[in-house]
Amino acid sequence: MRAAGLLLAAACASCSVQAQTQGTRAPQKYEALGRDILSELIAIDTTVDRGSTVAAKAVAARAIANGFPAADVTLVTPKERPDSSSVVIRLRGRSNARPVLYINHLDVVPAKREDWTFDPFRLTERDGWLYGRGTIDMKGQDAAVLASLIRLKQEGFVPARDIVAAFTPDEETRAQWGVSWLLKTHRNLIDAAVVVNPDGGEAAMKKGRRLYVGVQTSEKIFVTFELEATDKGGHSSRPTAENPIYRLSAALARLSTHRFPLHLTETTRLYFERRAALESGQTAADMRAVLRQPPDMAAVDRLSAVVETNIQLRSTCTTTMIDGGHAENALPQRARATVQCRLIPGETQESAAAAVRSALADPRVQVRVKTAAEVAPESKPAPEIFKLVETVTRAMWPGVVVLPDMSAGASDSVFTRAAGIPSYGIDGMFDDLDDARAHGKDERIGVAVFGEELEFTYRIMRTVGDLR
Ligand SMILES: [Zn+2]
């Protein structure tokens, strides 16, 4: 942590952190607290049918019982949705500078007992693992954020600016009553200069080896189109070339081979530059070659053949649903397909629609927007954010690289970015790239990984208030 003194010159906050650098796990007392919070949250079913109000109240009670004044713990509930409360906790800082906001969702995707080895709604420790729905997405992180807030409070730590943490519902579903609702109706409560969203961060390992801590600065924007071909139909004994199922199928076949142009952003350029250092041979060379001006197109082709790198290089569209026809002995009058696109930030719904139309190459196939894009800009990969994460990462796990990251999926950061608040996904809970269980069966985190996550979250939270 010595570097912290250099990077955050004004941050004497970092001085006493040095006392903690010996271990990479949180002190026993706070690891126990983190585990206790995690266990409580896992036991509260926060799937869409149950809502998050019970969990929000539990978080509020936990904060108040551990030293937060009730005035700094605010429960807010949409009138229309009593099951969708959020709770906002404020650790008061020493200045009026706009706060740092942590956003944390409390809801989880459903899990069926019969599909799992253990009860998904009961934290179970087995062979060094903690099992339960939400351990990795994201009740583990919720517990780390809450335990860190409590630890800072109990240590008497006063950050340079307020640190605010919102625990919210409805991220895994329609994202209607969580962060987007809070921004619309309670902006004052959660207004901030910068957002940290642990849900967007990705700490990755393979075969037990820690590789990188990904800081999410942007995410692909999704837009869904409905395609439709129609015809007057008729008896199946009198087929015609106008059959909408054939027309639509032929158009979709053309779409399937369409490749969007290479589109690198500040984030993905830095990503490939640093990722190349973790790779070797042809892959490393290709990652460097796509960054050249002009880019090496053979390298682009090779990286495009791998899903993981292809989605970092360009926007994509793919067909996700199809239906057509109305009787087995009738010519179809209608065929429809759903196409979902994931766009590089900076591209628009209109540019995607134009690309889809041109790839379909059949003006009689109608293209309509089914789900409109929620547009958000990239948050600049700001050097001071990266220095902060690098300082904590290096002190805890020497050799682990910090990478900027553009998620292909979506998180609540889309709303805070759209509201003009730079937002960064930061998390230190290492997950195996070859064994991703978020949303899946037997979701779990390592006991030691969770202990380190508690410490990582604490160290980031302790210094993040010093950002200028
Ligand atoms: Zn999540």
Side-chain angles (χ1 to χ4, degrees):
M1 288 301 288
R2 232 171 293 123
L6 295 172
L7 298 165
L8 302 164
C12 203
S14 52
C15 309
S16 45
V17 181
Q18 285 169 12
Q20 305 291 347
T21 54
Q22 290 84 346
T24 54
R25 281 168 76 162
Q28 219 284 321
K29 174 183 172 190
Y30 290 102
E31 188 164 325
L33 175 69
R35 176 84 79 97
D36 206 34
I37 296 170
L38 178 61
S39 171
E40 182 178 17
L41 290 178
I42 296 281
I44 302 171
D45 180 344
T46 53
T47 53
V48 58
D49 292 341
R50 304 291 189 92
S52 300
T53 295
V54 177
K57 285 182 177 163
V59 168
R62 195 58 91 148
I64 291 168
N66 283 282
F68 278 86
D72 291 341
V73 179
T74 313
L75 192 83
V76 282
T77 309
K79 265 202 307 294
E80 308 87 325
R81 289 296 299 265
D83 65 346
S84 298
S85 300
S86 294
V87 60
V88 179
I89 303 172
R90 184 172 296 262
L91 178 67
R92 301 237 167 229
R94 53 181 187 270
S95 79
N96 291 328
R98 286 171 78 209
V100 174
L101 171 67
Y102 278 73
I103 53 176
N104 318 275
H105 68 82
L106 291 167
D107 59 320
V108 292
V109 296
K112 289 196 178 132
R113 176 67 188 90
E114 61 266 31
D115 295 339
W116 278 51
T117 310
F118 311 102
D119 180 351
F121 297 103
R122 196 173 141 190
L123 189 69
T124 306
E125 182 175 350
R126 191 66 53 93
D127 302 328
W129 295 96
L130 296 166
Y131 290 85
R133 170 57 88 225
T135 44
I136 195 91
D137 183 15
M138 64 171 285
K139 286 178 171 172
Q141 292 87 340
D142 294 338
V145 168
L146 181 56
S148 298
L149 277 170
I150 290 170
R151 184 171 160 196
L152 290 171
K153 184 79 181 169
Q154 293 183 344
E155 289 172 351
F157 178 76
V158 180
R161 54 180 72 209
D162 289 5
I163 307 237
V164 178
F167 297 84
T168 58
D170 202 21
E171 193 272 344
E172 300 288 6
T173 45
R174 299 191 53 208
Q176 200 178 349
W177 302 107
V179 172
S180 65
W181 180 81
L182 277 177
L183 283 165
K184 269 183 240 147
T185 58
H186 292 78
R187 177 78 188 238
N188 283 347
L189 190 61
I190 59 160
D191 195 34
V194 65
V195 162
V196 176
N197 181 1
D199 196 31
E202 182 190 57
M205 60 181 181
K206 271 192 182 197
K207 297 188 179 65
R209 182 181 152 226
R210 292 184 185 82
L211 294 176
Y212 61 83
V213 170
V215 174
Q216 193 231 50
T217 59
S218 58
E219 53 194 64
K220 281 183 147 177
I221 307 300
F222 82 86
V223 53
T224 312
F225 296 109
E226 184 172 76
L227 279 42
E228 186 178 60
T230 55
D231 183 48
K232 63 182 186 331
H235 201 281
S236 60
S237 62
R238 303 171 65 83
T240 73
E242 297 305 306
N243 186 325
I245 292 180
Y246 289 154
R247 280 221 320 274
L248 184 64
S249 305
L252 289 175
R254 290 188 288 273
L255 179 66
S256 75
T257 57
H258 173 76
R259 208 161 83 174
F260 278 74
L262 175 68
H263 182 169
L264 294 174
T265 63
E266 221 178 308
T267 296
T268 51
R269 290 191 148 277
L270 259 175
Y271 169 82
F272 280 118
E273 191 183 303
R274 295 186 182 191
R275 185 70 201 261
L278 294 176
E279 301 290 342
S280 58
Q282 187 73 58
T283 307
D286 285 347
M287 286 180 172
R288 293 188 180 102
V290 291
L291 300 175
R292 280 190 214 121
Q293 264 336 331
D296 175 341
M297 293 316 285
V300 172
D301 284 347
R302 280 188 295 271
L303 293 179
S304 301
V306 180
V307 174
E308 186 194 343
T309 34
N310 182 50
I311 59 179
Q312 297 292 323
L313 293 171
R314 57 172 53 84
S315 297
T316 60
C317 294
T318 193
T319 305
T320 53
M321 297 196 290
I322 189 158
D323 72 284
H326 57 284
E328 69 178 76
N329 57 355
L331 296 177
Q333 288 176 251
R334 196 177 304 279
R336 282 200 192 109
T338 300
V339 168
Q340 193 173 67
C341 301
R342 301 272 170 167
L343 310 178
I344 301 275
E347 294 180 22
T348 64
Q349 185 169 296
E350 291 71 31
S351 66
V356 168
R357 283 197 185 92
S358 127
L360 295 171
D362 182 347
R364 291 172 304 171
V365 175
Q366 299 289 312
V367 178
R368 286 187 294 269
V369 173
K370 188 174 186 179
T371 306
E374 196 74 57
V375 177
E378 172 174 79
S379 299
K380 276 208 151 312
E384 60 272 23
I385 291 279
F386 280 82
K387 277 180 193 159
L388 185 145
V389 179
E390 275 160 6
T391 302
V392 174
T393 302
R394 276 195 203 125
M396 291 184 67
W397 309 293
V400 170
V401 175
V402 176
L403 286 178
D405 177 49
M406 173 186 71
S407 302
S411 78
D412 274 339
S413 296
V414 74
F415 301 112
T416 48
R417 289 193 185 112
I421 311 174
S423 305
Y424 300 94
I426 302 174
D427 186 32
M429 195 144 75
F430 283 88
D431 197 14
D432 196 314
L433 287 172
D434 298 324
D435 187 23
R437 299 190 183 199
H439 295 202
K441 178 191 166 181
D442 291 346
E443 183 179 349
R444 66 182 187 180
I445 47 176
V447 170
V449 163
F450 181 60
E452 292 187 339
E453 161 76 350
L454 290 164
E455 181 63 18
F456 177 86
T457 304
Y458 165 82
R459 291 189 192 187
I460 294 283
M461 195 180 278
R462 194 173 173 114
T463 45
V464 75
D466 298 316
L467 285 170
R468 266 181 292 252

